[in-house]
Amino acid sequence: MDFITPLISIIDRLCTATASRASRVINLDRSMHYLTAELNELMDKRDDLTTRLERAELDGSRRTNEVQRWLARVEVIEAEAASIMENFGQSRQGLGCFNPSCCSKYNMSTEMIEKLQDISELKGKGNFERLVTEPRPAPVEEKPCKPAIGIGVMLDKVWEFLEEEKVGIIALYGMGGVGKTTLLKTINNAFLSSDHNFDVVIWVLVSKEFVVSKIQQSIVARLGLPWADSEAHELLTSKIYNVLKKKRFLLLFDDVWEGIDLGDIGIPLPDDENKCKLIFTTRSMDVCSDMDAHRKLKVELLNDEKSWQLFCEKVGRMDVLESPPIRTYAKTIVRKCGGLPLALITVGRAMANKETEEEWKYAIELLNKSPSELRGMEDIFTLLKFSYDNLENETAKMCFLYCSLFPQSYSIEKEQLVEYWIAEGFLDSSYDSNAYNKGYAAIGSLKVAFLLETGEEETQVKMNDVIRSFALWIASGCGVNKGNFFVEASLGLTEAPGVKNWEGAQRVSLLDNAITRLEEVPMCPNLLTLLLQWNNCLNRIPDDFFQSMSALRLLDLSFTSIRRIPVSIGQLLELRHLNLTATKITTLPKELGSLAKLVHLNLLRTYYLRTIPREAISGLSKLVVLNLYYSYERWKIQNSNCEDEVGFEVLETLTQLRFLGLTISTVTSLHRLSGIRSLVKCIQYLFIKECEGLHQLELSTLGYGKLLRRLSINDCNELNYLVVEGEAGENWLPNLEVLALYGLPNLISVWKTPPREASLQNLRLLNIWYCHRLKNVSWISLLPRLEAIYLFYCKALEALVSEDEKLEPDSKSFSRLKTISIRDLPALRIITPLALNFSCLKNIAVIDCPKLKKLSIRTAHNSTTLPTVHCSKDWWEGLEWEELNTKNAFLTNFTSN
């Protein structure tokens, strides 16, 4: 019986195991249900995580290794669970507990239990603190940008700047719509395909209303750093700095309107040590300085060729543009776009579907009179308005709008513009140095904002055609009140527009037309400015023309052919500025004396003026400017019988006078004038003519030295020289700009004593004719601002600068000279004893100078910098050249008379 006890034990264990196995087989369906549910939850967790990952990876972030391994394990578990489910489906047909099917189900149940444990464990590990690593941004992000016309030269210049080690900050500046952003995008995209040493190129749109936090957020996002809207400014600054200080970066800031403190943002200052760079665009040259730019590049307007190319590209209809009439109109439209790419693109697109000649003519009419009505132009004006709104004060804005009264691309003398502004009350009305300085400062502000540009000469400014159209749009209240400024300048008008068109205006400009007469009498109670100058054929104005202009402050009739001033001039009681330059008037009306508020009376070059009644001047108690240069000369001498005519004693009563231009024709008048200190100290323009018995003109004794700006001496047969005495080193005639000497046959030397180096620092133009004893004008080599020399009909002149003068090859003499014109100088042998670098010289004219055999010009063999030589072919062929290369360089610049 001893074997029975072990047997019973074995049977008990077998029964227990069999019962457990049977239980598992019986609960197999329930296990499959649990497995399916747990697997679905794991898959949901996996899918949610994948969605979050895809969103996080959009900025270049990379999933962590932990997350990647978890997802791989989920994939394995999913496959294993799917296999169990498939086997379960196939095993449901098995019967009994001990058959093979039952054993298989038992194994399957065990697998299910193990897989449930695996899934549960995996679900628990699927809660991650961090899904992705810090992103590694691409070095460059492409910016959408179409190929641009005409930026190749500027791109090359930018690459040159980037190569300079000591250049960290580069400014690209220019007017709105000129293509600065396009240039910056092109620079950005160029780094996509080129080898470079920058770790990252970062683009930031700054804009006018920039906020430091927005710039910081742009940089943080580009660097792939985590941040929150609520994050403190200091924390962002530190975060940016700690990343950028370890990188070699290129920052591209677009549309900067004011100086930005890079340190406040967290940007290490780009310099030659960290090799980092910043390039920014701006509409203001002031910002270039505020940002301490090491290099500045002006984004220029397109030239005529590139403008036409861009316009044609946008029109896209060469079949239309090649039609001769339409091509002519198209060229006119392109000119009116003023080389501004945005205008060319906008107008080009607007004209893309215009096929008839009438449509193109109408477009020109719109651009002349109502450009904002042309499709797309108002968008351009809105863009430009940012620059206008950013002007520092209302004075600058009014001064800007005033410039639109002048024709398209018209060069305006700065001085004239400032005088207009003073008359209008934009500046101080005192005509003192403060008012002028304020006016010139306003011009500077407008140039800095690219709303004005330099004119044909340095003393002039002009307005781009598109900017002018924009200014007129602003002046009309953005198109709401079009009658405020009535401007039809340089339109070829032969008749004045009907007065109904301009009766409600504050400012009317009809200058530079071909109007012959004014027939209608307008009712203009609000009119402040009337510009009629440069209507050369205008010879008649009705007597009652001014009777209804009671508010008029400024009247310009210069360069017209009027012979008499209407008596209704006396009713302009608010008039401050009257310009009658180069008119044909013979007398001033007595009614002029009623203009008690008149401050500026310009009678320059009124050659026919013979009579000035005392009453015409004596009542002008507020007169500050009186210009009679090349004008009235018949000054009444004290105790003469001409009691009704003006004399110096009348001018003495003008206590506000600060600018005086005079013409003197007798030695007696000259001596009389020299004794009236109150007048002498005001003289800025002086014309002396036909003074018999005048042997020397003692300028210092007469007291003309300090303020004199223009001095012209004609037909004084006995004059030997001019005398300016003073202490050694004293600056002679510091403000003299123009010196003209004509018909002085006994002039031995211009100056009795040679000028000192500090003298004549502002002389720009020298004009000498018919001075037959004059041998040289060597002193001109001392003049730092000399721009033009005209020497005609001087028989004894041997040299401009004599061989006795010690000039160095690298001399700074004539550094601003633009024009040399010499004619009929039979004794002239040399211009200067050494060949000099005339860096600004544009034109040389040589006529009838047979002994002159050399041009004293040193050349770097670069024909683009050489002046044009106007001369006879025979003289040209007889020139002697030290180097053949120099002659060859000049060949393309030679023009035969």
Side-chain angles (χ1 to χ4, degrees):
M1 295 294 291
D2 291 339
F3 72 92
I4 294 177
T5 300
L7 181 61
I8 292 173
S9 177
I10 292 170
I11 291 172
D12 285 343
R13 290 198 296 270
L14 181 62
C15 289
T16 301
T18 301
S20 175
R21 182 176 295 181
S23 174
R24 287 191 183 184
V25 171
I26 291 169
N27 293 323
L28 192 61
D29 284 344
R30 185 182 297 172
S31 296
M32 178 55 65
H33 173 74
Y34 288 151
L35 178 63
T36 303
E38 286 290 295
L39 183 63
N40 286 339
E41 286 185 16
L42 180 63
M43 294 303 99
D44 288 344
K45 195 177 189 72
R46 187 269 316 271
D47 292 344
D48 289 343
L49 182 64
T50 302
T51 299
R52 290 166 59 199
L53 280 170
E54 288 173 350
R55 188 180 300 116
E57 288 171 339
L58 288 175
D59 66 355
S61 301
R62 185 175 59 83
R63 62 190 65 181
T64 64
N65 292 333
E66 183 185 16
V67 170
Q68 188 64 28
R69 283 194 301 271
W70 187 85
L71 288 171
R73 182 65 183 143
V74 169
E75 188 176 350
V76 171
I77 292 294
E78 182 184 17
E80 291 173 349
S83 177
I84 292 172
M85 292 174 181
E86 184 179 355
N87 291 338
F88 173 76
Q90 294 173 357
S91 67
R92 289 181 67 84
Q93 299 174 359
L95 299 172
C97 295
F98 294 102
N99 59 25
S101 177
C102 184
C103 291
S104 174
K105 289 181 178 179
Y106 174 79
N107 293 334
M108 188 180 300
S109 176
T110 301
E111 289 179 359
M112 286 183 185
I113 291 169
E114 291 175 351
K115 204 55 59 188
L116 276 168
Q117 291 174 342
D118 291 344
I119 291 174
S120 178
E121 181 182 353
L122 202 55
K123 281 172 59 182
K125 291 181 178 180
N127 300 316
F128 301 100
E129 288 186 10
R130 210 172 43 150
L131 297 180
V132 293
T133 62
E134 290 184 3
R136 294 180 182 176
V140 186
E141 286 185 346
E142 185 173 6
K143 294 293 173 184
C145 181
K146 295 181 180 179
I149 290 173
I151 66 172
V153 173
M154 288 180 287
L155 272 175
D156 292 342
K157 200 67 182 174
V158 172
W159 300 137
E160 287 180 23
F161 292 161
L162 287 171
E163 290 295 324
E164 295 184 50
E165 288 190 1
K166 293 189 178 298
V167 172
I169 302 177
I170 301 168
L172 308 177
Y173 65 94
M175 63 191 293
V178 79
K180 301 182 297 298
T181 299
T182 299
L183 177 58
L184 198 64
K185 286 182 177 180
T186 304
I187 293 167
N188 178 86
N189 293 348
F191 286 98
L192 288 166
S193 57
S194 65
D195 294 330
H196 59 85
N197 296 319
F198 294 110
D199 298 318
V200 62
V201 178
I202 302 173
W203 174 285
V204 179
L205 174 60
V206 178
S207 76
K208 188 173 187 295
E209 303 298 336
F210 87 94
V211 179
V212 168
S213 61
K214 295 297 183 183
I215 298 177
Q216 288 183 315
Q217 289 168 10
S218 296
I219 295 173
V220 164
R222 178 71 179 89
L223 293 172
L225 304 176
W227 60 276
D229 288 333
S230 59
E231 198 160 354
H233 166 71
E234 294 78 9
L235 186 59
L236 277 177
T237 300
S238 177
K239 186 179 291 185
I240 292 170
Y241 182 78
N242 287 327
V243 173
L244 287 184
K245 73 179 182 179
K246 301 172 185 177
K247 293 182 181 291
R248 186 173 180 180
F249 60 82
L250 169 62
L251 280 175
L252 303 176
F253 279 6
D254 188 33
D255 200 22
V256 179
W257 285 81
E258 59 184 87
I260 298 173
D261 185 345
L262 299 181
D264 189 41
I265 294 171
I267 300 169
L269 188 66
D271 56 31
D272 57 339
E273 290 186 11
N274 58 30
K275 311 297 183 187
C276 298
K277 307 284 184 179
L278 165 63
I279 305 176
F280 68 90
T281 68
T282 181
R283 298 190 199 183
S284 170
M285 285 188 287
D286 280 344
V287 173
C288 299
S289 302
D290 294 343
M291 292 289 290
D292 295 322
H294 302 124
R295 290 288 182 270
K296 305 169 189 177
L297 179 64
K298 183 178 181 182
V299 182
E300 299 284 358
L301 298 165
L302 297 180
N303 60 26
D304 292 345
E305 179 185 352
K306 297 298 183 183
S307 295
W308 177 250
Q309 183 182 344
L310 179 57
F311 182 76
C312 291
E313 179 184 293
K314 297 306 170 184
V315 172
R317 294 288 305 275
M318 291 310 297
D319 57 325
V320 174
L321 290 171
E322 287 171 359
S323 166
I326 289 181
R327 185 180 180 87
T328 301
Y329 300 137
K331 288 283 189 181
T332 299
I333 289 174
V334 169
R335 283 196 300 274
K336 289 183 178 297
C337 289
L340 188 66
L342 183 60
L344 290 160
I345 291 168
T346 302
V347 177
R349 287 171 178 164
M351 301 307 297
N353 298 310
K354 311 299 183 188
E355 298 182 353
T356 67
E357 189 175 338
E358 290 76 14
E359 288 174 306
W360 285 80
K361 287 171 69 175
Y362 179 63
I364 293 174
E365 290 176 10
L366 282 182
L367 287 172
N368 279 336
K369 296 185 177 180
S370 302
S372 62
E373 294 181 18
L374 190 66
R375 183 167 64 87
M377 283 299 287
E378 192 159 326
D379 294 335
I380 296 175
F381 291 168
T382 302
L383 172 70
L384 295 173
K385 193 171 183 294
F386 284 114
S387 295
Y388 172 79
D389 290 339
N390 205 51
L391 290 174
E392 56 193 24
N393 51 46
E394 290 302 315
T395 295
K397 291 178 181 179
M398 286 302 300
C399 291
F400 165 69
L401 298 180
Y402 205 85
C403 295
S404 66
L405 297 175
F406 295 87
Q408 297 172 355
S409 300
Y410 184 89
S411 288
I412 317 163
E413 287 291 338
K414 294 179 188 176
E415 184 177 0
Q416 180 189 39
L417 200 52
V418 172
E419 287 170 346
Y420 280 0
W421 292 344
I422 293 173
E424 286 285 349
F426 303 158
L427 313 172
D428 295 337
S429 58
S430 57
Y431 275 79
D432 61 8
S433 59
N434 181 64
Y436 277 92
N437 291 340
K438 190 174 181 181
Y440 280 100
I443 290 173
S445 297
L446 296 174
K447 290 182 70 176
V448 161
F450 303 103
L451 296 175
L452 285 182
E453 57 190 80
T454 301
E456 296 300 320
E457 301 292 337
E458 288 295 325
T459 59
Q460 300 170 333
V461 289
K462 64 181 179 180
M463 188 175 264
N464 177 276
D465 289 353
V466 175
I467 297 293
R468 177 178 179 268
S469 296
F470 161 72
L472 289 171
W473 180 70
I474 290 289
S476 67
C478 300
V480 175
N481 182 13
K482 294 184 179 181
N484 195 20
F485 276 40
F486 183 75
V487 183
E488 293 198 355
S490 286
L491 295 183
L493 304 178
T494 56
E495 295 182 1
V499 292
K500 291 293 182 184
N501 295 317
W502 47 292
E503 283 182 346
Q506 288 187 332
R507 294 179 174 89
V508 171
S509 174
L510 301 175
L511 68 88
D512 194 30
N513 281 297
I515 298 170
T516 57
R517 56 176 56 193
L518 300 171
E519 298 286 359
E520 298 180 274
V521 177
M523 297 289 293
C524 298
N526 300 318
L527 189 62
L528 300 174
T529 300
L530 178 57
L531 304 182
L532 293 168
Q533 67 264 38
W534 288 106
N535 281 281
N536 302 80
C537 299
L538 179 62
N539 54 40
R540 182 180 176 277
I541 299 177
D543 277 343
D544 52 356
F545 186 78
F546 299 119
Q547 66 181 8
S548 298
M549 299 182 184
S550 57
L552 195 67
R553 294 178 178 178
L554 189 150
L555 174 61
D556 197 329
L557 295 168
S558 60
F559 298 95
T560 62
S561 294
I562 60 169
R563 287 177 164 77
R564 58 186 297 272
I565 302 170
V567 293
S568 58
I569 192 83
Q571 299 182 40
L572 302 180
L573 300 181
E574 294 295 322
L575 195 67
R576 283 87 183 271
H577 184 113
L578 176 60
N579 192 347
L580 297 167
T581 295
T583 55
K584 295 182 178 180
I585 59 172
T586 58
T587 185
L588 291 183
K590 294 180 180 180
E591 289 78 6
L592 195 68
S594 303
L595 308 183
K597 293 186 179 181
L598 192 66
V599 177
H600 186 118
L601 177 57
N602 196 345
L603 295 160
L604 174 71
R605 299 188 185 278
T606 48
Y607 304 109
Y608 302 96
L609 185 58
R610 293 290 180 269
T611 305
I612 301 181
R614 292 174 60 92
E615 296 94 327
I617 299 295
S618 60
L620 306 179
S621 59
K622 292 192 177 180
L623 204 61
V624 174
V625 176
L626 175 60
N627 196 348
L628 289 158
Y629 185 66
Y630 277 83
S631 180
Y632 180 81
E633 64 189 66
R634 303 170 68 177
W635 295 103
K636 180 181 75 66
I637 306 303
Q638 200 168 18
N639 301 322
S640 71
N641 295 323
C642 304
E643 294 296 333
D644 292 335
E645 290 205 24
V646 71
F648 292 142
E649 74 281 357
V650 175
L651 301 188
E652 286 184 85
T653 66
L654 305 178
T655 57
Q656 303 299 312
L657 203 63
R658 292 198 181 121
F659 178 112
L660 183 58
L662 286 179
T663 301
I664 304 296
S665 60
T666 67
V667 172
T668 304
S669 296
L670 188 61
H671 289 163
R672 167 84 175 101
L673 177 64
S674 66
I676 308 174
R677 182 166 179 76
S678 62
L679 297 183
V680 169
K681 69 179 184 180
C682 298
I683 294 176
Q684 296 191 32
Y685 288 17
L686 180 61
F687 177 34
I688 298 174
K689 56 179 285 192
E690 302 169 3
C691 285
E692 297 299 327
L694 181 64
H695 298 282
Q696 61 183 37
L697 180 62
E698 298 186 7
L699 294 171
S700 53
T701 303
L702 295 177
Y704 303 124
K706 298 299 182 184
L707 293 180
L708 194 62
R709 294 172 55 194
R710 295 190 183 186
L711 175 61
S712 184
I713 306 174
N714 284 19
D715 300 320
C716 295
N717 294 327
E718 299 168 70
L719 186 66
N720 300 131
Y721 33 68
L722 310 182
V723 179
V724 182
E725 300 293 347
E727 297 294 328
E730 184 182 345
N731 184 358
W732 286 4
L733 304 173
N735 290 301
L736 190 67
E737 298 170 7
V738 177
L739 177 60
L741 306 173
Y742 184 100
L744 309 177
N746 282 299
L747 191 74
I748 301 169
S749 174
V750 175
W751 311 103
K752 182 178 182 180
T753 304
R756 301 168 178 86
E757 190 171 349
S759 302
L760 303 164
Q761 295 293 289
N762 280 297
L763 191 64
R764 294 186 295 107
L765 185 149
L766 178 66
N767 196 342
I768 300 179
W769 290 41
Y770 295 107
C771 296
H772 295 311
R773 296 184 66 184
L774 193 63
K775 292 191 174 182
N776 66 69
V777 285
S778 297
W779 50 274
I780 64 174
S781 65
L782 301 174
L783 308 180
R785 304 190 71 177
L786 189 64
E787 296 178 8
I789 300 171
Y790 298 92
L791 296 169
F792 290 6
Y793 311 109
C794 297
K795 293 180 179 179
L797 196 73
E798 298 175 352
L800 271 69
V801 179
S802 74
E803 293 175 323
D804 296 333
E805 296 295 322
K806 295 180 180 180
L807 291 178
E808 299 295 332
D810 58 351
S811 170
K812 301 292 185 182
S813 298
F814 307 111
S815 60
R816 292 197 184 185
L817 191 65
K818 297 177 182 178
T819 300
I820 300 175
S821 185
I822 52 180
R823 178 170 189 152
D824 201 353
L825 307 177
L828 184 68
R829 294 181 297 103
I830 60 169
I831 293 176
T832 59
L834 282 177
L836 300 176
N837 179 21
F838 292 83
S839 56
C840 291
L841 196 60
K842 295 180 180 179
N843 292 286
I844 303 177
V846 181
I847 301 172
D848 294 334
C849 300
K851 291 186 178 181
L852 183 63
K853 298 297 183 182
K854 290 184 179 181
L855 288 176
S856 303
I857 299 175
R858 192 174 65 197
T859 174
H861 310 302
N862 181 354
S863 61
T864 61
T865 63
L866 294 176
T868 300
V869 182
H870 306 268
C871 60
S872 68
K873 186 176 181 181
D874 290 342
W875 182 81
W876 175 261
E877 291 178 348
L879 276 177
E880 300 171 3
W881 303 89
E882 293 182 4
E883 295 182 12
L884 183 61
N885 288 338
T886 303
K887 179 179 181 180
N888 292 336
F890 266 101
L891 282 176
T892 56
N893 293 62
F894 157 63
T895 301
S896 178
N897 292 333

